[in-house]
Amino acid sequence: MSAINFDALLLLLKANTKDLVVKLCNEVFLHKDALCLPEIVIKTTADSLSVSHTESLQLLEALRGLIQKALFVGASNGASIAAIFPETFHTNLLSLLGKVILENQVTWSSHVINNQVSLPRLVDFDWRVDVKTASDNITRMSVPTCILQLQVQNTATEVNKMPDLSSVNVELSKETLDTMLDGLGKIRDQLSSVASKS
């Protein structure tokens, strides 16, 4: 994580409304993963604050760094946000940026978590019990089985495109289902013990 240019953030004092600061923060968050901020965003910011193109770019990069750091450290109150800033930073601007970050922190954090690279995600499931009526082995006839259909969202491969959903069907005998449920019960217990410790 690169250092934040706090001097560039002081350019926000030229904003004529608080709504403009909120808009800039949201705009920067939307482009947080882009290698370069879109030229239209830089130009619009320069025009609305009456600053140069270079100053606008420095401001937007500083805002992006601030938001990333706040999300990274899990800043969830005024004190944790204030700790990111130098002690000599403009008090009113710190307060405004702190409010904006706190108001958006939950939304931004969940967006980051949901869009990180991960394994395919279970979206939904359905099940039914079937009885086999035909088989090449007489002992496997009239045996109930569970058909489990899992809807899985694959890992995203493109930035601005929702990943596809795929269905996976699994056939489980009673014994296999018992083993799976026992394993899932152990997983639930472990997750509960980890959650209660934190």
Side-chain angles (χ1 to χ4, degrees):
M1 197 172 297
S2 60
I4 302 166
N5 181 353
F6 289 101
D7 291 335
L9 287 176
L10 293 174
L11 293 170
L12 289 171
L13 294 170
K14 294 185 174 192
N16 52 7
T17 65
K18 292 177 182 180
D19 289 340
L20 179 58
V21 175
V22 173
K23 180 181 174 245
L24 288 175
C25 289
N26 283 314
E27 194 73 41
V28 164
F29 180 78
L30 285 176
H31 302 288
K32 70 182 174 9
D33 295 325
L35 293 176
C36 301
L37 291 164
E39 194 61 37
I40 187 74
V41 174
I42 299 168
K43 184 178 182 334
T44 305
T45 303
D47 293 344
S48 57
L49 295 176
S50 302
V51 296
S52 71
H53 183 275
T54 304
E55 289 174 320
S56 173
L57 180 59
Q58 289 173 345
L59 166 64
L60 293 170
E61 289 294 343
L63 259 180
R64 178 158 57 173
L66 174 67
I67 290 169
Q68 285 176 339
K69 179 139 189 186
L71 293 175
F72 180 77
V73 299
S76 58
N77 57 41
S80 58
I81 291 173
I84 297 171
F85 290 87
E87 290 181 17
T88 58
F89 194 78
H90 192 280
T91 310
N92 291 341
L93 184 56
L94 187 151
S95 175
L96 176 60
L97 288 171
K99 284 180 187 174
V100 172
I101 291 170
L102 284 176
E103 287 173 3
N104 292 289
Q105 198 261 352
V106 172
T107 306
W108 289 345
S109 292
S110 64
H111 179 79
V112 168
I113 289 168
N114 290 334
N115 290 309
Q116 67 186 2
V117 176
S118 64
L119 295 171
R121 188 173 290 125
L122 179 64
V123 176
D124 195 15
F125 73 94
D126 194 15
W127 61 273
R128 70 177 193 270
V129 174
D130 281 352
V131 177
K132 287 188 178 182
T133 56
S135 177
D136 58 349
N137 187 342
I138 193 76
T139 58
R140 288 181 33 198
M141 285 187 61
S142 299
V143 176
T145 59
C146 174
I147 306 295
L148 184 62
Q149 182 182 46
L150 307 171
Q151 281 225 308
V152 179
Q153 185 177 38
N154 296 316
T155 305
T157 56
E158 295 180 38
V159 175
N160 294 324
K161 187 177 175 190
M162 285 295 292
D164 295 330
L165 290 178
S166 61
S167 291
V168 178
N169 292 321
V170 181
E171 183 178 347
L172 304 167
S173 66
K174 183 182 180 327
E175 294 78 21
T176 308
L177 182 61
D178 287 341
T179 304
M180 185 175 116
L181 290 174
D182 183 51
L184 288 173
K186 290 176 184 176
I187 292 170
R188 181 194 59 226
D189 295 344
Q190 270 191 334
L191 288 174
S192 296
S193 73
V194 170
S196 66
K197 289 178 185 176
S198 56

